[in-house]
Structures are given as C-alpha cells and as structure tokens.
Amino acid sequence: MDFSPSPQVESLRERILAFMDEHVYPSEREVLEGLDAEVGPGVAYPQVLVEIRERARSEGLWNLFLPDERHGPGLTNWEYGLLCEEMGRSPVAAPMAFNCAAPDTGNMEILAEHGTDEQQDRWLAPLLDGQIRSCFSMTEPEVSGSDPTTLQTRAELDGDEWVINGHKWFTSGAVGASLAIAMVVTDPDAHPYARASMILVPTDAEGFDLVRAIPVMGHDGGPGHCEIRYEDCRVPASNVLGPRQAGFVIAQDRLGPGRIHHCMRAIGTAERAIEMMCRRASERESFGGKLADKQFIQDFVAKSRMEIEQARLLTLYAAWKMDTAGKRAARQEISMIKVVAANVVMDVLDRSIQTHGSLGMTDDTPLAMMWRYSRMLRIADGPDEVHKMVIARREIGRWAKQAEEETEQVAAAASR
C-alpha cells in the first residue's frame, strides 16, 4: 500500500485548500446562517452558497466523489478520501460548496449504478449539475433504525402506480429537496432481506407530507433531518430504483463509499480541532504561563495527534481494500473505521473545546457547530454498538472456522 497522492490528486488537494482559504472559511458563518434562514420549499441553497458553488464548478472542483470518469475525475475511494478529509475541515459548508455533500453523494452513486436511462436523465443529471438536492428516506420512528428488516412503510401496486403509506423520520436533507429515495416494503412475505425496494418519490408528489425538521441538539435549520408521512402517495410503477426487492443490496452499495466519506471528513474536522487547540494553547496564559506549558494540555495534544494518525491510516486502508478487493471484502474494515473515526473526532473536539474554555461552548468559533454535527456520526449509518457486534462476530467466526479446519486436519492425519 502506498498512499502517496498522484500529481492529479495532489493538485486537487492544493486547489481545494486554497479555495477553502479564499472562499469557504471567510463565508462559513454566513453560509450556516443562510442555510438556516433561506432553505425552504423549492429553495436548494442560500445565495451566498450558490455563488461559492458556481465558483467551485468553474474551477473544476466539482463532483469529485464518483469513481466513474463520466461524472467526475475518476478517483479511487482512497484518493477521494484524501480530498474528503480537507472538506471535513468545514463539514457543512465545504462539501456543499463542491457538490460532494451527503445525502446527495450516496443518492447520486446509486442512481448512477442502478438507475434507468430515464431516471438518470430526470434526476441524476440535475443532481450532478447542482440544480436540485435530494434526500434519503429510510429510518422510521416506530422501529429500530439499526435493523431495517423491521421497516413498516408499505408500497403497493395499484395498476401502473405505487401507492406508498408510512411514517419516516431522519430523512436527511428533505427541506428544499426535489427528490426522496424511499426504502419501503414492497413484498412483505418475502425473505427479510428481500422485502424492501427503493422507490424514487418527487417531493411535490401528492401524499408526500414533510411534517417538520426534527430539532437535533437544539438545531432544526437548513436542509434538516425531517419527519415525513407518506399518505396514499402515488408515483409511477417505473420509479423503482434497480430491481424490485433489491432495497437492501442497493442500501449496502450506498453505505460502503458513504462511510469512507463520513470518516475522512471526521478526520478533517479533527485536524481543524487540534490545530485550533494548539493555537489557543500557545496564545492563552493562565496561572503564570502559557496553556501549552501545562502537562495536561500536552497530554490532550499528544493523544489527539496519535488518535488522528491511527484513524486516518485505518480509513485509508479500508478505502484501499474496497478499491482493490471490493466492498464485500472490506466490510470488516468499514465497520471498524465507522466506530474509530466517529469516536476520535468527538474526543479531539472535546479536548479542543476544553482548551478554549467558555469560548469553546459559543458559536464564536466553529467548534460547537462541529461538535453538534459530528456527534450524530456515532449513530448515523449504524450505531457504534451494532458495528462492534458485527466486528466481534466476524472475528470470532474467523477463529472458529480456523479451529474447525485444524480439527479436521488432525482427524484426517489420524485416519491415515
């Protein structure tokens, strides 16, 4: 494994960093406030962000996440991960600036991989062009989000239309979105992993009711994490994304690269947090000296640096393994990074906030925003506890299989 960036990737990284210094950081607070104030039905982005996005697109810093050269620069997952880390330094504004924000990225990936020509023309093309946004509608309040086999929202065929009824929440990005990709039960009597399908639902369809943006740690602005009710919501039968009953397969296709993106952005957030911690410690005096001279602050910095480096290497390895051996072969590593990166970023942010004292609790620095945004990563795309359970089961199973093979070898040798 060699994670040295190619000249193309190094150039893109330098250009992204320069763009963020010139355009993203100076407007970061205005972008966040604009998202809270201006995003609404039919409004994809506030004007300040529209202008930044147009500039990024004109400079070729656009749709960097798709490995397909038809839609982007054709980077591998680990190469894009290096760029994603830099975007994570401003985890809300920067991905939107470069048209690389979730849930649009995951939705574009599955539309590119599973969509028909008609679906791609109607939805993928305007998403790639940045003309519209989308949302992903899977989680339901009445059942466990970590166990999608229990989904209750139903879609039934009525002639040439699907009729959808059900209750969703944490449909991320729904405010101002034009499209929802809904994971719904189409075949309730099928195998638990074949009950669900993905259906494309225009948000202006009759029966699509955006109830509210759910307040998350006191914040309910921007594109939101929304509660949705589907009430006799009708869409054409042709709006199934991919094969019927393939909802779980497509969801896994969506989650693999998405988890790499989330983790690398988390590492970028942690990098900005440790930088801010070191700057604050070097400038702030307390009890007769710089904070940087205090042993407990040095412990904060040392732990943070070690943890960030370990998380980065593990995440790049997972991305490399996905690139070289496939998503299935990298499942264990993807589960591990999901736990590791989400916890590392929270630990580093907590130390940085502590070093800043009361200032760290305010919105006068980006730390509080980054903390609010990052905390959900320990739950989104599978909570820590589920990933740990899966990691342990695979590890135990690996050794159980080896022990069984050794026993068989001993028995075969004894019989000869």
Side-chain angles (χ1 to χ4, degrees):
M1 291 169 287
D2 180 1
F3 296 133
S4 301
S6 67
Q8 177 195 20
V9 174
E10 185 57 40
S11 173
L12 284 169
R13 183 160 64 176
E14 291 174 356
R15 289 163 58 200
I16 286 170
L17 288 171
F19 188 94
M20 290 178 66
D21 284 340
E22 185 174 356
H23 303 294
V24 176
Y25 295 137
S27 302
E28 188 174 40
R29 184 80 173 265
E30 186 181 358
V31 167
L32 297 176
E33 291 173 350
L35 284 168
D36 288 348
E38 296 181 34
V39 171
V43 179
Y45 302 100
Q47 186 58 34
V48 61
L49 185 53
V50 168
E51 294 171 2
I52 293 173
R53 285 166 58 83
E54 289 174 351
R55 187 173 286 111
R57 182 172 183 173
S58 69
E59 295 185 16
L61 301 174
W62 194 253
N63 292 337
L64 301 172
F65 63 95
L66 280 169
D68 190 332
E69 292 183 353
R70 293 176 301 167
H71 306 305
L75 305 178
T76 65
N77 282 295
W78 79 262
E79 287 177 325
Y80 173 66
L82 294 175
L83 308 182
C84 209
E85 176 182 339
E86 307 303 351
M87 298 179 204
R89 293 177 62 86
S90 181
V92 177
M96 286 187 173
F98 302 115
N99 207 38
C100 293
D104 285 336
T105 48
N107 290 345
M108 285 188 268
E109 285 165 352
I110 58 177
L111 279 165
E113 189 169 348
H114 299 283
T116 64
D117 291 343
E118 181 182 352
Q119 290 168 349
Q120 291 179 0
D121 287 343
R122 182 175 180 186
W123 299 114
L124 178 59
L127 282 167
L128 288 167
D129 288 342
Q131 298 171 4
I132 63 171
R133 285 194 302 99
S134 62
C135 57
F136 188 69
S137 194
M138 184 180 79
T139 307
E140 300 177 0
E142 288 83 9
V143 296
S144 170
S146 59
D147 183 8
T149 63
T150 62
L151 291 176
Q152 296 178 350
T153 298
R154 292 284 302 277
E156 298 178 337
L157 272 177
D158 180 19
D160 59 356
E161 291 182 317
W162 288 105
V163 182
I164 306 172
N165 283 282
H167 187 196
K168 299 285 190 180
W169 74 339
F170 281 83
T171 295
S172 297
V175 179
S178 299
L179 170 70
I181 300 182
M183 186 165 169
V184 297
V185 176
T186 54
D187 298 87
D189 298 325
H191 184 278
Y193 291 100
R195 296 172 70 239
S197 304
M198 297 282 187
I199 296 182
L200 305 175
V201 182
T203 58
D204 60 0
E206 186 175 351
F208 180 92
D209 180 15
L210 198 165
V211 179
R212 61 175 178 143
I214 299 166
V216 177
M217 294 186 173
H219 179 258
D220 63 357
H225 301 283
C226 298
E227 180 180 1
I228 309 291
R229 285 197 180 272
Y230 295 86
E231 298 173 324
D232 291 332
C233 181
R234 290 178 173 267
V235 299
S238 60
N239 278 29
V240 174
L241 178 62
R244 181 170 171 171
Q245 300 187 355
F248 280 88
V249 173
I250 296 173
Q252 290 304 310
D253 286 344
R254 187 180 187 280
L255 285 173
R259 285 171 176 156
I260 300 290
H261 304 171
H262 278 315
C263 291
M264 289 304 292
R265 279 194 294 266
I267 292 163
T269 299
E271 279 288 358
R272 190 176 181 189
I274 191 175
E275 176 184 321
M276 293 178 65
M277 175 167 42
C278 291
R279 289 181 182 276
R280 176 71 170 180
S282 298
E283 296 167 356
R284 188 71 164 179
E285 292 202 13
S286 181
F287 296 99
K290 301 286 188 184
L291 284 179
D293 296 330
K294 313 298 182 187
Q295 189 173 15
F296 67 88
I297 294 293
Q298 294 171 359
D299 183 69
F300 280 3
V301 173
K303 281 182 179 176
S304 298
R305 174 47 60 204
M306 291 185 288
E307 290 167 359
I308 291 170
E309 296 299 330
Q310 292 172 75
R312 178 185 292 110
L313 285 173
L314 182 59
T315 305
L316 289 175
Y317 171 66
W320 171 85
K321 191 168 184 179
M322 185 189 299
D323 290 329
T324 56
K327 296 174 185 176
R328 185 175 180 83
R331 289 181 304 171
Q332 185 79 328
E333 288 75 17
I334 291 170
S335 288
M336 289 192 288
I337 64 169
K338 180 61 177 59
V339 177
V340 169
N343 280 271
V344 164
V345 68
M346 290 308 298
D347 288 342
V348 176
L349 280 166
D350 188 72
R351 294 172 193 137
S352 189
I353 289 171
Q354 198 73 7
T355 302
H356 282 75
S358 55
L359 175 63
M361 302 298 295
T362 72
D363 287 334
D364 288 353
T365 79
L367 288 170
M369 175 276 293
M370 292 193 293
W371 193 97
R372 288 192 300 269
Y373 177 84
S374 299
R375 179 58 182 87
M376 76 167 114
L377 295 180
R378 292 190 54 210
I379 297 175
D381 290 353
D384 288 359
E385 292 73 20
V386 171
H387 285 288
K388 288 178 181 178
M389 177 181 69
V390 170
I391 292 165
R393 284 178 177 175
R394 290 184 184 132
E395 190 69 9
I396 293 168
R398 181 169 71 93
W399 289 105
K401 182 178 180 181
Q402 181 171 323
E404 182 180 343
E405 291 173 350
E406 290 172 352
T407 300
E408 291 174 354
Q409 291 170 3
V410 171
S415 65
R416 287 198 294 267

Short mmCIF file of all heavy atoms in Angstrom, two decimals, residues 91-150:
data_model
loop_
_atom_site.label_atom_id
_atom_site.label_comp_id
_atom_site.label_asym_id
_atom_site.label_seq_id
_atom_site.Cartn_x
_atom_site.Cartn_y
_atom_site.Cartn_z
N PRO A 91 -17.25 20.93 7.85
CA PRO A 91 -18.03 19.74 7.49
C PRO A 91 -19.39 20.01 6.88
O PRO A 91 -19.96 19.13 6.25
CB PRO A 91 -18.16 18.99 8.82
CG PRO A 91 -17.98 20.03 9.87
CD PRO A 91 -17.01 21.01 9.31
N VAL A 92 -19.94 21.21 7.05
CA VAL A 92 -21.22 21.54 6.43
C VAL A 92 -21.01 22.33 5.14
O VAL A 92 -21.49 21.95 4.07
CB VAL A 92 -22.12 22.33 7.40
CG1 VAL A 92 -23.42 22.74 6.71
CG2 VAL A 92 -22.42 21.51 8.65
N ALA A 93 -20.27 23.42 5.22
CA ALA A 93 -20.15 24.34 4.09
C ALA A 93 -19.32 23.77 2.95
O ALA A 93 -19.70 23.89 1.77
CB ALA A 93 -19.56 25.67 4.56
N ALA A 94 -18.18 23.14 3.25
CA ALA A 94 -17.27 22.73 2.17
C ALA A 94 -17.85 21.62 1.29
O ALA A 94 -17.80 21.74 0.05
CB ALA A 94 -15.93 22.30 2.75
N PRO A 95 -18.41 20.54 1.84
CA PRO A 95 -18.98 19.53 0.93
C PRO A 95 -20.08 20.09 0.04
O PRO A 95 -20.20 19.72 -1.13
CB PRO A 95 -19.53 18.46 1.90
CG PRO A 95 -18.68 18.60 3.13
CD PRO A 95 -18.43 20.07 3.24
N MET A 96 -20.89 21.01 0.57
CA MET A 96 -21.91 21.64 -0.28
C MET A 96 -21.27 22.50 -1.36
O MET A 96 -21.74 22.54 -2.50
CB MET A 96 -22.84 22.49 0.58
CG MET A 96 -23.81 21.70 1.43
SD MET A 96 -24.99 22.79 2.26
CE MET A 96 -26.10 21.57 2.98
N ALA A 97 -20.19 23.18 -1.01
CA ALA A 97 -19.52 24.04 -1.98
C ALA A 97 -19.04 23.27 -3.19
O ALA A 97 -19.10 23.76 -4.32
CB ALA A 97 -18.35 24.76 -1.32
N PHE A 98 -18.58 22.02 -2.97
CA PHE A 98 -18.01 21.23 -4.05
C PHE A 98 -19.00 20.19 -4.60
O PHE A 98 -18.60 19.29 -5.35
CB PHE A 98 -16.74 20.53 -3.57
CG PHE A 98 -15.69 21.47 -3.06
CD1 PHE A 98 -15.31 21.46 -1.71
CD2 PHE A 98 -15.09 22.39 -3.89
CE1 PHE A 98 -14.36 22.33 -1.22
CE2 PHE A 98 -14.12 23.27 -3.42
CZ PHE A 98 -13.75 23.24 -2.08
N ASN A 99 -20.27 20.30 -4.24
CA ASN A 99 -21.31 19.34 -4.66
C ASN A 99 -20.95 17.92 -4.25
O ASN A 99 -21.17 16.96 -5.00
CB ASN A 99 -21.56 19.40 -6.17
CG ASN A 99 -22.99 18.97 -6.53
OD1 ASN A 99 -23.94 19.29 -5.82
ND2 ASN A 99 -23.15 18.27 -7.63
N CYS A 100 -20.41 17.80 -3.05
CA CYS A 100 -19.98 16.49 -2.53
C CYS A 100 -20.60 16.22 -1.17
O CYS A 100 -19.99 15.56 -0.32
CB CYS A 100 -18.46 16.45 -2.41
SG CYS A 100 -17.58 16.51 -3.99
N ALA A 101 -21.80 16.72 -0.93
CA ALA A 101 -22.42 16.60 0.39
C ALA A 101 -23.40 15.44 0.43
O ALA A 101 -24.09 15.14 -0.55
CB ALA A 101 -23.16 17.90 0.75
N ALA A 102 -23.44 14.77 1.58
CA ALA A 102 -24.47 13.76 1.83
C ALA A 102 -25.79 14.48 2.12
O ALA A 102 -25.79 15.59 2.64
CB ALA A 102 -24.07 12.89 3.02
N PRO A 103 -26.93 13.86 1.79
CA PRO A 103 -27.09 12.53 1.19
C PRO A 103 -27.04 12.53 -0.33
O PRO A 103 -27.24 11.47 -0.94
CB PRO A 103 -28.48 12.12 1.68
CG PRO A 103 -29.24 13.41 1.73
CD PRO A 103 -28.24 14.45 2.19
N ASP A 104 -26.78 13.69 -0.95
CA ASP A 104 -26.76 13.72 -2.42
C ASP A 104 -25.71 12.78 -3.00
O ASP A 104 -25.95 12.13 -4.02
CB ASP A 104 -26.49 15.14 -2.91
CG ASP A 104 -27.71 16.05 -2.78
OD1 ASP A 104 -28.83 15.52 -2.75
OD2 ASP A 104 -27.53 17.28 -2.69
N THR A 105 -24.55 12.70 -2.36
CA THR A 105 -23.48 11.86 -2.91
C THR A 105 -23.94 10.40 -3.00
O THR A 105 -23.80 9.75 -4.04
CB THR A 105 -22.21 11.96 -2.06
OG1 THR A 105 -22.55 11.81 -0.67
CG2 THR A 105 -21.51 13.28 -2.28
N GLY A 106 -24.47 9.87 -1.89
CA GLY A 106 -24.94 8.48 -1.90
C GLY A 106 -26.06 8.27 -2.88
O GLY A 106 -26.12 7.25 -3.59
N ASN A 107 -26.97 9.24 -2.96
CA ASN A 107 -28.08 9.11 -3.90
C ASN A 107 -27.60 9.14 -5.35
O ASN A 107 -28.10 8.40 -6.20
CB ASN A 107 -29.10 10.22 -3.66
CG ASN A 107 -29.84 10.05 -2.35
OD1 ASN A 107 -29.82 8.99 -1.74
ND2 ASN A 107 -30.50 11.10 -1.90
N MET A 108 -26.63 10.00 -5.64
CA MET A 108 -26.10 10.04 -7.00
C MET A 108 -25.37 8.74 -7.34
O MET A 108 -25.45 8.25 -8.47
CB MET A 108 -25.17 11.25 -7.17
CG MET A 108 -25.91 12.57 -7.28
SD MET A 108 -24.83 13.97 -7.70
CE MET A 108 -24.40 14.59 -6.07
N GLU A 109 -24.67 8.17 -6.36
CA GLU A 109 -23.96 6.91 -6.61
C GLU A 109 -24.92 5.80 -7.00
O GLU A 109 -24.67 5.05 -7.96
CB GLU A 109 -23.17 6.52 -5.36
CG GLU A 109 -21.92 7.36 -5.16
CD GLU A 109 -21.33 7.21 -3.76
OE1 GLU A 109 -21.99 6.57 -2.91
OE2 GLU A 109 -20.23 7.72 -3.53
N ILE A 110 -26.04 5.67 -6.27
CA ILE A 110 -26.94 4.56 -6.59
C ILE A 110 -27.77 4.85 -7.83
O ILE A 110 -28.16 3.93 -8.55
CB ILE A 110 -27.83 4.17 -5.39
CG1 ILE A 110 -28.68 5.34 -4.88
CG2 ILE A 110 -26.97 3.58 -4.27
CD1 ILE A 110 -29.62 4.95 -3.74
N LEU A 111 -28.04 6.12 -8.11
CA LEU A 111 -28.69 6.45 -9.38
C LEU A 111 -27.77 6.13 -10.55
O LEU A 111 -28.21 5.62 -11.59
CB LEU A 111 -29.09 7.92 -9.41
CG LEU A 111 -30.38 8.30 -8.69
CD1 LEU A 111 -30.47 9.81 -8.48
CD2 LEU A 111 -31.60 7.80 -9.48
N ALA A 112 -26.49 6.42 -10.41
CA ALA A 112 -25.53 6.14 -11.47
C ALA A 112 -25.37 4.64 -11.68
O ALA A 112 -25.20 4.16 -12.81
CB ALA A 112 -24.18 6.77 -11.15
N GLU A 113 -25.44 3.86 -10.59
CA GLU A 113 -25.20 2.42 -10.67
C GLU A 113 -26.45 1.63 -11.00
O GLU A 113 -26.39 0.62 -11.70
CB GLU A 113 -24.61 1.92 -9.34
CG GLU A 113 -24.14 0.49 -9.38
CD GLU A 113 -23.32 0.10 -8.16
OE1 GLU A 113 -22.93 1.00 -7.39
OE2 GLU A 113 -23.06 -1.11 -7.97
N HIS A 114 -27.61 2.09 -10.52
CA HIS A 114 -28.83 1.28 -10.64
C HIS A 114 -29.96 1.96 -11.42
O HIS A 114 -30.96 1.31 -11.72
CB HIS A 114 -29.36 0.93 -9.24
CG HIS A 114 -28.40 0.13 -8.42
ND1 HIS A 114 -28.20 -1.22 -8.60
CD2 HIS A 114 -27.58 0.50 -7.39
CE1 HIS A 114 -27.30 -1.66 -7.73
NE2 HIS A 114 -26.90 -0.64 -6.99
N GLY A 115 -29.82 3.24 -11.72
CA GLY A 115 -30.91 3.96 -12.38
C GLY A 115 -31.05 3.62 -13.86
O GLY A 115 -30.07 3.32 -14.54
N THR A 116 -32.27 3.69 -14.36
CA THR A 116 -32.50 3.55 -15.80
C THR A 116 -32.06 4.83 -16.50
O THR A 116 -31.80 5.86 -15.86
CB THR A 116 -34.00 3.31 -16.07
OG1 THR A 116 -34.74 4.47 -15.67
CG2 THR A 116 -34.50 2.08 -15.32
N ASP A 117 -31.99 4.77 -17.82
CA ASP A 117 -31.64 5.96 -18.58
C ASP A 117 -32.60 7.10 -18.27
O ASP A 117 -32.19 8.26 -18.11
CB ASP A 117 -31.63 5.67 -20.07
CG ASP A 117 -30.48 4.75 -20.49
OD1 ASP A 117 -29.53 4.61 -19.70
OD2 ASP A 117 -30.56 4.17 -21.59
N GLU A 118 -33.90 6.78 -18.19
CA GLU A 118 -34.90 7.80 -17.92
C GLU A 118 -34.71 8.39 -16.52
O GLU A 118 -34.79 9.62 -16.34
CB GLU A 118 -36.30 7.20 -18.05
CG GLU A 118 -37.42 8.20 -17.80
CD GLU A 118 -38.79 7.56 -17.87
OE1 GLU A 118 -38.88 6.37 -18.26
OE2 GLU A 118 -39.78 8.24 -17.54
N GLN A 119 -34.46 7.54 -15.53
CA GLN A 119 -34.25 8.03 -14.17
C GLN A 119 -33.00 8.88 -14.09
O GLN A 119 -32.98 9.91 -13.39
CB GLN A 119 -34.15 6.83 -13.21
CG GLN A 119 -35.46 6.09 -13.01
CD GLN A 119 -35.29 4.77 -12.29
OE1 GLN A 119 -34.17 4.29 -12.10
NE2 GLN A 119 -36.39 4.16 -11.90
N GLN A 120 -31.95 8.50 -14.79
CA GLN A 120 -30.72 9.28 -14.75
C GLN A 120 -30.90 10.63 -15.43
O GLN A 120 -30.39 11.65 -14.96
CB GLN A 120 -29.59 8.48 -15.40
CG GLN A 120 -29.16 7.27 -14.58
CD GLN A 120 -28.06 6.48 -15.24
OE1 GLN A 120 -27.59 6.82 -16.33
NE2 GLN A 120 -27.63 5.40 -14.60
N ASP A 121 -31.65 10.65 -16.53
CA ASP A 121 -31.90 11.92 -17.20
C ASP A 121 -32.71 12.86 -16.32
O ASP A 121 -32.43 14.07 -16.25
CB ASP A 121 -32.65 11.69 -18.52
CG ASP A 121 -31.77 11.07 -19.60
OD1 ASP A 121 -30.53 11.11 -19.45
OD2 ASP A 121 -32.32 10.54 -20.58
N ARG A 122 -33.71 12.30 -15.64
CA ARG A 122 -34.60 13.16 -14.85
C ARG A 122 -33.97 13.60 -13.55
O ARG A 122 -34.17 14.75 -13.12
CB ARG A 122 -35.91 12.43 -14.56
CG ARG A 122 -36.88 13.34 -13.78
CD ARG A 122 -38.23 12.71 -13.57
NE ARG A 122 -39.09 13.63 -12.81
CZ ARG A 122 -40.30 13.33 -12.38
NH1 ARG A 122 -40.82 12.13 -12.63
NH2 ARG A 122 -41.00 14.21 -11.69
N TRP A 123 -33.20 12.71 -12.89
CA TRP A 123 -32.74 13.02 -11.54
C TRP A 123 -31.22 13.13 -11.40
O TRP A 123 -30.73 14.05 -10.75
CB TRP A 123 -33.26 11.96 -10.55
CG TRP A 123 -34.75 11.88 -10.49
CD1 TRP A 123 -35.54 10.82 -10.87
CD2 TRP A 123 -35.65 12.89 -10.03
NE1 TRP A 123 -36.86 11.12 -10.67
CE2 TRP A 123 -36.96 12.38 -10.16
CE3 TRP A 123 -35.46 14.18 -9.53
CZ2 TRP A 123 -38.09 13.10 -9.80
CZ3 TRP A 123 -36.59 14.91 -9.16
CH2 TRP A 123 -37.87 14.38 -9.29
N LEU A 124 -30.49 12.19 -12.00
CA LEU A 124 -29.04 12.20 -11.80
C LEU A 124 -28.41 13.43 -12.45
O LEU A 124 -27.56 14.11 -11.84
CB LEU A 124 -28.42 10.93 -12.36
CG LEU A 124 -26.89 10.84 -12.26
CD1 LEU A 124 -26.42 10.93 -10.82
CD2 LEU A 124 -26.38 9.54 -12.91
N ALA A 125 -28.80 13.73 -13.68
CA ALA A 125 -28.19 14.86 -14.38
C ALA A 125 -28.35 16.18 -13.63
O ALA A 125 -27.36 16.91 -13.42
CB ALA A 125 -28.77 14.96 -15.80
N PRO A 126 -29.56 16.54 -13.17
CA PRO A 126 -29.68 17.80 -12.42
C PRO A 126 -28.98 17.77 -11.06
O PRO A 126 -28.54 18.82 -10.58
CB PRO A 126 -31.19 18.01 -12.28
CG PRO A 126 -31.81 16.70 -12.56
CD PRO A 126 -30.89 15.98 -13.48
N LEU A 127 -28.86 16.59 -10.44
CA LEU A 127 -28.10 16.50 -9.20
C LEU A 127 -26.62 16.75 -9.46
O LEU A 127 -25.95 17.48 -8.71
CB LEU A 127 -28.30 15.13 -8.54
CG LEU A 127 -29.61 14.92 -7.79
CD1 LEU A 127 -29.82 13.43 -7.48
CD2 LEU A 127 -29.64 15.73 -6.50
N LEU A 128 -26.10 16.15 -10.51
CA LEU A 128 -24.70 16.37 -10.87
C LEU A 128 -24.44 17.81 -11.26
O LEU A 128 -23.38 18.37 -10.99
CB LEU A 128 -24.30 15.44 -12.02
CG LEU A 128 -24.16 13.96 -11.69
CD1 LEU A 128 -24.07 13.13 -12.96
CD2 LEU A 128 -22.94 13.71 -10.80
N ASP A 129 -25.43 18.44 -11.88
CA ASP A 129 -25.30 19.84 -12.27
C ASP A 129 -25.49 20.79 -11.10
O ASP A 129 -25.24 22.00 -11.23
CB ASP A 129 -26.32 20.19 -13.36
CG ASP A 129 -25.96 19.57 -14.70
OD1 ASP A 129 -24.79 19.19 -14.87
OD2 ASP A 129 -26.85 19.47 -15.56
N GLY A 130 -25.97 20.27 -9.96
CA GLY A 130 -26.20 21.13 -8.80
C GLY A 130 -27.47 21.94 -8.89
O GLY A 130 -27.64 22.92 -8.16
N GLN A 131 -28.39 21.54 -9.77
CA GLN A 131 -29.63 22.29 -9.92
C GLN A 131 -30.65 21.96 -8.84
O GLN A 131 -31.52 22.77 -8.53
CB GLN A 131 -30.24 21.99 -11.30
CG GLN A 131 -29.37 22.41 -12.47
CD GLN A 131 -29.92 21.90 -13.79
OE1 GLN A 131 -30.99 21.31 -13.83
NE2 GLN A 131 -29.18 22.13 -14.86
N ILE A 132 -30.57 20.73 -8.30
CA ILE A 132 -31.52 20.28 -7.28
C ILE A 132 -30.76 19.57 -6.17
O ILE A 132 -29.58 19.27 -6.30
CB ILE A 132 -32.59 19.33 -7.86
CG1 ILE A 132 -31.92 18.04 -8.38
CG2 ILE A 132 -33.41 20.01 -8.96
CD1 ILE A 132 -32.91 16.95 -8.78
N ARG A 133 -31.47 19.30 -5.08
CA ARG A 133 -30.96 18.45 -3.99
C ARG A 133 -31.92 17.27 -3.81
O ARG A 133 -33.05 17.28 -4.30
CB ARG A 133 -30.85 19.22 -2.68
CG ARG A 133 -29.67 20.18 -2.63
CD ARG A 133 -29.40 20.67 -1.21
NE ARG A 133 -30.57 21.33 -0.64
CZ ARG A 133 -31.43 20.75 0.18
NH1 ARG A 133 -31.29 19.49 0.54
NH2 ARG A 133 -32.45 21.44 0.65
N SER A 134 -31.45 16.27 -3.05
CA SER A 134 -32.25 15.08 -2.80
C SER A 134 -32.16 14.71 -1.33
O SER A 134 -31.37 15.27 -0.57
CB SER A 134 -31.75 13.91 -3.66
OG SER A 134 -30.41 13.59 -3.32
N CYS A 135 -33.00 13.76 -0.93
CA CYS A 135 -32.96 13.26 0.45
C CYS A 135 -33.10 11.74 0.42
O CYS A 135 -33.51 11.17 -0.59
CB CYS A 135 -34.04 13.91 1.32
SG CYS A 135 -35.73 13.71 0.72
N PHE A 136 -32.76 11.10 1.54
CA PHE A 136 -32.83 9.64 1.64
C PHE A 136 -33.78 9.29 2.78
O PHE A 136 -33.58 9.72 3.92
CB PHE A 136 -31.45 9.05 1.88
CG PHE A 136 -31.42 7.55 1.79
CD1 PHE A 136 -31.61 6.92 0.58
CD2 PHE A 136 -31.21 6.77 2.91
CE1 PHE A 136 -31.59 5.53 0.48
CE2 PHE A 136 -31.18 5.39 2.84
CZ PHE A 136 -31.37 4.76 1.61
N SER A 137 -34.81 8.50 2.48
CA SER A 137 -35.92 8.28 3.40
C SER A 137 -36.00 6.80 3.75
O SER A 137 -36.61 6.01 3.04
CB SER A 137 -37.22 8.75 2.72
OG SER A 137 -38.26 8.86 3.63
N MET A 138 -35.37 6.43 4.88
CA MET A 138 -35.38 5.03 5.30
C MET A 138 -35.85 4.86 6.74
O MET A 138 -36.75 4.11 7.04
CB MET A 138 -33.99 4.40 5.13
CG MET A 138 -33.97 2.90 5.47
SD MET A 138 -32.35 2.13 5.29
CE MET A 138 -31.57 2.68 6.82
N THR A 139 -35.22 5.58 7.68
CA THR A 139 -35.46 5.36 9.11
C THR A 139 -36.89 5.68 9.50
O THR A 139 -37.49 6.63 8.99
CB THR A 139 -34.49 6.23 9.92
OG1 THR A 139 -33.15 5.99 9.47
CG2 THR A 139 -34.57 5.92 11.39
N GLU A 140 -37.42 4.88 10.43
CA GLU A 140 -38.79 5.07 10.91
C GLU A 140 -38.80 5.18 12.43
O GLU A 140 -38.05 4.46 13.11
CB GLU A 140 -39.68 3.91 10.46
CG GLU A 140 -39.75 3.77 8.96
CD GLU A 140 -40.57 2.57 8.48
OE1 GLU A 140 -41.10 1.84 9.35
OE2 GLU A 140 -40.67 2.38 7.27
N PRO A 141 -39.65 6.05 12.99
CA PRO A 141 -39.64 6.25 14.45
C PRO A 141 -40.19 5.07 15.23
O PRO A 141 -39.84 4.90 16.40
CB PRO A 141 -40.51 7.49 14.64
CG PRO A 141 -41.38 7.57 13.43
CD PRO A 141 -40.57 6.99 12.31
N GLU A 142 -41.03 4.25 14.61
CA GLU A 142 -41.67 3.18 15.36
C GLU A 142 -40.83 1.91 15.47
O GLU A 142 -41.16 1.00 16.24
CB GLU A 142 -43.02 2.81 14.71
CG GLU A 142 -44.11 3.85 14.88
CD GLU A 142 -44.03 4.98 13.87
OE1 GLU A 142 -43.23 4.86 12.91
OE2 GLU A 142 -44.76 5.98 14.01
N VAL A 143 -39.76 1.80 14.67
CA VAL A 143 -38.93 0.59 14.69
C VAL A 143 -37.47 0.98 14.76
O VAL A 143 -37.10 2.14 14.54
CB VAL A 143 -39.19 -0.28 13.43
CG1 VAL A 143 -40.62 -0.79 13.42
CG2 VAL A 143 -38.89 0.49 12.15
N SER A 144 -36.62 -0.01 15.05
CA SER A 144 -35.19 0.25 15.21
C SER A 144 -34.55 0.61 13.89
O SER A 144 -34.59 -0.16 12.92
CB SER A 144 -34.51 -1.01 15.79
OG SER A 144 -33.11 -0.87 15.74
N GLY A 145 -33.91 1.77 13.85
CA GLY A 145 -33.24 2.20 12.63
C GLY A 145 -32.04 1.34 12.29
O GLY A 145 -31.62 1.29 11.13
N SER A 146 -31.46 0.65 13.27
CA SER A 146 -30.30 -0.19 13.01
C SER A 146 -30.69 -1.57 12.49
O SER A 146 -29.82 -2.38 12.18
CB SER A 146 -29.46 -0.33 14.29
OG SER A 146 -30.23 -0.91 15.33
N ASP A 147 -32.01 -1.84 12.40
CA ASP A 147 -32.49 -3.13 11.89
C ASP A 147 -33.53 -2.88 10.81
O ASP A 147 -34.75 -2.93 11.07
CB ASP A 147 -33.08 -3.97 13.02
CG ASP A 147 -33.54 -5.35 12.55
OD1 ASP A 147 -33.26 -5.70 11.39
OD2 ASP A 147 -34.17 -6.07 13.34
N PRO A 148 -33.11 -2.61 9.58
CA PRO A 148 -34.06 -2.26 8.52
C PRO A 148 -35.00 -3.40 8.12
O PRO A 148 -35.93 -3.18 7.36
CB PRO A 148 -33.16 -1.88 7.34
CG PRO A 148 -31.84 -1.54 7.95
CD PRO A 148 -31.72 -2.44 9.14
N THR A 149 -34.75 -4.63 8.61
CA THR A 149 -35.70 -5.70 8.30
C THR A 149 -37.05 -5.46 8.96
O THR A 149 -38.04 -6.13 8.61
CB THR A 149 -35.16 -7.07 8.77
OG1 THR A 149 -35.01 -7.07 10.19
CG2 THR A 149 -33.83 -7.39 8.11
N THR A 150 -37.12 -4.52 9.89
CA THR A 150 -38.38 -4.25 10.59
C THR A 150 -39.16 -3.08 9.99
O THR A 150 -40.17 -2.66 10.56
CB THR A 150 -38.11 -3.96 12.08
OG1 THR A 150 -37.28 -2.79 12.20
CG2 THR A 150 -37.43 -5.13 12.74
#
